[in-house]
Amino acid sequence: MSNNSRPCKNCQKRTLTQDEDSGNLVCKSCGILQDFDNYDPQIGGISGAVGTYIRHGSAGSGSVYNYKESKIYHAEKLIEDLMLQLELSDKSSDVKRTVFQITEGEYGQGRWFEVCIGACAYVLMRKDSKPLSIVKVAEVVKCDIYELGRMVYRVVDFLDTKLPEFDIVNSFEHYIKEAPTFSGVEEDIKGRMLKQGVFLVQCLVKWYVTTGRRPLPVVAAVLVFVAQLNQVDVTIEDVAEELQVVVVTCKLRYKELLERLVKVARGLPWGEDVTIKNIMKHAPFVIQYMELKSMSKNSDKRKSFKDVGVDLDYMIDDFLSNENVVDIKSDSQYFQMDPSLSIKSPNGFQISQECLAMIYTKIKNQVSVLESANSRYSKEREMKSTYDWWQGESEMSKKLLVKQILEKDVGLSTTPPSFDRGCLANERRKAKIKAAKCRIHKTMYPSDAGSIDKIEQCPVEHVSGGKKRRRKMKVDVDWEDFIIETLLLHQVEEKEIEKGYYKVLLDLHVFNH
């Protein structure tokens, strides 16, 4: 069978013929076999043959996945990996269900999806009242806490749920049991630290130290305090690192705790001698006083030292020990003691708070108990101060509702720090208003200038140069004084100015005219 449609590739003659056996074309003139003569192209549409190439999404011969199935597989794998990093592998299935609900089964890819997974994990842990640091979640998903916080808000809004209040007591219990710093502490000491810490944490709630603040720095401060109280060697830097909070903030909360304990100590006869520097030496007495005060059933809430039933046996034995050479014969004018009575039965005689304070002052001036006591007495006193002073019987050592905490009396009633700062700012604005009225009157009526009281100048701090270069100077008026004068000249009521909303008042009474 000849084929004259095309010439031979070799001799260019149209003498091609088809071989019956192979089907290839052969030139009769030169006998050369023509290449690719029997090529059959596989042409077809989408439903046609696909050749030997692998489609996108396939996993080899016999198993082909589409794009959605691959995306879901990788998303679930990502959730498991992130939960493993957060040490929440048991929550992986719950997080998958939550993400499935939020994305309507589509899941997702990219950085936003990782943030969404972290937000879902945080919301689920908060709903179960289990502590999980948002800082730790942000580090795992590699975003800042503000971005994660916005995603948490969106997740809560989508699920139409409400997160419970942060349980600071549960958080303290969790960290004192799980923190590596306290892993080597004996169980009996750790149990005592737990009760003391719960007591102090709830006292800080009553004293509004936790109001408007991040709670974990407060937890860190109490952890460090109870550790030092029980001779456990920890540092605030180590605890802050384990709780993943800022060290500076923890130190501020620790200082506030000491300041409040010093205020409580003012109710004791020797309270004037207690300062932030020596509060740790007096802490056993102060906390015992707070504990017994919280257990007091007095309806009239008496605050005298003797009403709470403080352990006079221990205190008198401590300060009037036979091992301390103290002459108290001259103190017989304050009270009369029956020789048959021993110090171990202090209820047999009555000592007023004033008498006890005078005795203590006299003893303190004559001899220092801590310096004069020998090693045996110091050891006994240390053991007694470590074990005997803490009873752990107060309800404040157990988790209470906020209402119950506020009803307890622990020797100190205070107001929120923000309220105190607001009151001080209000008083400062009142003084500025008074001074501004005097200046206005002096300008409008020069003849009456001599009858006006001298205006108190307000100190204003000016900062120049670096952080260490600071100079202070007193000026007659500042920008706030000018604003107050302007508002007074526009007849704005003083009560409105005292609130300090200058921008709103300027918009209403000055720039709106």
Side-chain angles (χ1 to χ4, degrees):
M1 180 178 181
S2 62
N3 189 346
N4 298 325
S5 60
R6 61 187 179 88
C8 176
K9 294 187 297 181
N10 183 41
C11 63
Q12 301 298 321
K13 293 181 180 181
R14 297 182 181 273
T15 57
L16 299 178
T17 184
Q18 187 175 12
D19 184 49
E20 295 180 358
D21 295 331
S22 63
N24 295 326
L25 294 178
V26 181
C27 181
K28 291 182 179 181
S29 301
C30 62
I32 298 300
L33 182 67
Q34 307 299 309
D35 296 333
F36 305 110
D37 184 68
N38 61 347
Y39 173 70
D40 184 17
Q42 300 292 331
I43 301 175
I46 297 176
S47 60
V50 296
T52 60
Y53 295 101
I54 299 175
R55 286 182 175 178
H56 175 72
S58 66
S61 177
S63 60
V64 178
Y65 297 100
N66 57 29
Y67 171 76
K68 183 176 180 180
E69 291 174 340
S70 299
K71 182 176 66 173
I72 293 175
Y73 170 77
H74 291 298
E76 292 182 346
K77 188 70 168 59
L78 179 61
I79 292 174
E80 293 176 357
D81 292 341
L82 292 178
M83 293 301 103
L84 181 63
Q85 296 180 48
L86 290 172
E87 300 178 355
L88 300 173
S89 299
D90 56 331
K91 288 289 183 180
S92 295
S93 57
D94 296 333
V95 174
K96 289 178 183 178
R97 285 194 294 269
T98 305
V99 174
F100 182 87
Q101 180 182 356
I102 292 174
T103 61
E104 297 180 351
E106 295 294 333
Y107 288 90
Q109 293 178 337
R111 184 170 176 274
W112 76 268
F113 186 62
E114 296 182 7
V115 179
C116 181
I117 295 172
C120 292
Y122 180 79
V123 170
L124 291 176
M125 293 297 289
R126 281 287 302 274
K127 290 179 67 176
D128 292 344
S129 299
K130 297 180 179 179
L132 176 63
S133 173
I134 194 171
V135 178
K136 181 178 181 179
V137 179
E139 288 183 355
V140 170
V141 301
K142 297 179 176 59
C143 71
D144 58 70
I145 58 175
Y146 303 103
E147 182 181 2
L148 181 60
R150 289 191 292 268
M151 184 63 74
V152 169
Y153 177 81
R154 293 174 62 185
V155 169
V156 171
D157 183 64
F158 182 87
L159 297 177
D160 193 20
T161 185
K162 185 177 180 181
L163 294 181
E165 295 292 334
F166 185 89
D167 196 330
I168 190 172
V169 175
N170 278 354
S171 180
F172 175 83
E173 293 176 347
H174 170 78
Y175 285 111
I176 201 171
K177 293 177 181 177
E178 304 296 335
T181 302
F182 304 100
S183 59
V185 181
E186 298 179 3
E187 290 300 324
D188 57 339
I189 298 179
K190 188 181 293 187
R192 185 169 61 254
M193 290 170 58
L194 178 61
K195 286 189 176 182
Q196 294 170 358
V198 171
F199 181 88
L200 290 175
V201 165
Q202 297 190 130
C203 287
L204 292 176
V205 173
K206 177 179 176 60
W207 296 332
Y208 303 101
V209 175
T210 60
T211 303
R213 268 83 174 275
R214 293 181 180 178
L216 285 184
V218 178
V219 173
V222 177
L223 283 171
V224 174
F225 182 84
V226 296
Q228 294 177 352
L229 199 62
N230 291 272
Q231 289 79 46
V232 178
D233 187 18
V234 298
T235 62
I236 197 167
E237 288 79 10
D238 293 339
V239 176
E241 183 180 358
E242 292 181 359
L243 271 62
Q244 296 182 324
V245 290
V246 182
V247 178
V248 176
T249 308
C250 296
K251 290 182 178 180
L252 289 175
R253 300 292 92 83
Y254 183 79
K255 182 181 178 182
E256 291 179 355
L257 170 60
L258 299 183
E259 290 174 347
R260 269 123 184 112
L261 292 177
V262 170
K263 290 182 179 179
V264 175
R266 301 303 184 202
L268 298 172
W270 54 89
E272 297 298 327
D273 300 323
V274 181
T275 62
I276 293 181
K277 294 182 179 180
N278 62 10
I279 182 60
M280 289 304 301
K281 297 180 181 179
H282 298 273
F285 297 113
V286 176
I287 297 179
Q288 183 187 31
Y289 170 66
M290 293 167 57
E291 183 186 20
L292 295 172
K293 191 79 171 174
S294 66
M295 293 188 294
S296 177
K297 302 296 183 179
N298 295 336
S299 59
D300 56 352
K301 297 183 180 180
R302 293 173 293 178
K303 296 183 179 181
S304 63
F305 180 65
K306 60 184 180 180
D307 290 334
V308 300
V310 176
D311 189 358
L312 287 177
D313 185 8
Y314 170 49
M315 292 185 177
I316 296 175
D317 184 35
D318 185 26
F319 293 114
L320 306 180
S321 174
N322 293 330
E323 299 182 15
N324 294 320
V325 183
V326 180
D327 183 11
I328 58 172
K329 294 181 180 179
S330 59
D331 294 322
S332 59
Q333 55 179 320
Y334 301 123
F335 63 94
Q336 295 293 332
M337 184 188 303
D338 190 341
S340 62
L341 295 175
S342 64
I343 294 179
K344 294 183 178 181
S345 59
N347 295 327
F349 57 92
Q350 298 294 329
I351 306 177
S352 67
Q353 180 177 350
E354 293 78 9
C355 293
L356 187 59
M358 295 174 69
I359 296 171
Y360 170 76
T361 303
K362 185 175 181 62
I363 296 172
K364 181 177 177 298
N365 293 334
Q366 293 182 7
V367 63
S368 175
V369 177
L370 294 176
E371 294 178 354
S372 63
N374 55 33
S375 59
R376 184 177 62 83
Y377 174 72
S378 298
K379 184 176 180 180
E380 293 176 355
R381 184 176 183 274
E382 181 180 354
M383 294 179 61
K384 193 166 188 176
S385 64
T386 304
Y387 295 96
D388 293 351
W389 62 267
W390 174 253
Q391 301 298 325
E393 299 177 355
S394 172
E395 292 182 357
M396 291 285 285
S397 300
K398 305 175 184 178
K399 184 179 177 181
L400 301 176
L401 299 176
V402 176
K403 182 181 178 180
Q404 295 173 316
I405 295 174
L406 297 177
E407 291 175 351
K408 293 292 181 180
D409 181 14
V410 292
L412 175 65
S413 297
T414 184
T415 53
S418 58
F419 177 80
D420 295 336
R421 289 193 297 267
C423 292
L424 291 175
N426 187 267
E427 293 298 326
R428 180 180 58 82
R429 284 191 288 267
K430 284 183 178 180
K432 283 182 171 289
I433 292 172
K434 182 179 179 181
K437 290 172 66 177
C438 292
R439 286 193 298 271
I440 293 173
H441 185 83
K442 181 179 179 180
T443 303
M444 297 179 65
Y445 306 100
S447 59
D448 295 341
S451 62
I452 302 176
D453 295 334
K454 185 178 181 180
I455 302 173
E456 295 182 359
Q457 296 181 351
C458 301
V460 179
E461 181 178 340
H462 294 269
V463 181
S464 60
K467 294 183 178 179
K468 294 184 178 180
R469 286 190 59 191
R470 293 176 181 267
R471 61 185 180 87
K472 296 183 179 180
M473 59 179 296
K474 290 186 176 181
V475 296
D476 292 335
V477 293
D478 57 9
W479 66 269
E480 189 175 8
D481 294 309
F482 287 124
I483 292 176
I484 292 174
E485 287 181 6
T486 303
L487 295 175
L488 289 173
L489 291 173
H490 283 77
Q491 298 181 351
V492 180
E493 294 184 5
E494 295 183 20
K495 291 184 178 180
E496 296 295 328
I497 301 176
E498 291 174 3
K499 297 178 182 179
Y501 302 120
Y502 299 133
K503 184 177 180 180
V504 176
L505 294 176
L506 288 172
D507 291 339
L508 289 175
H509 301 279
V510 180
F511 302 120
N512 198 27
H513 290 78

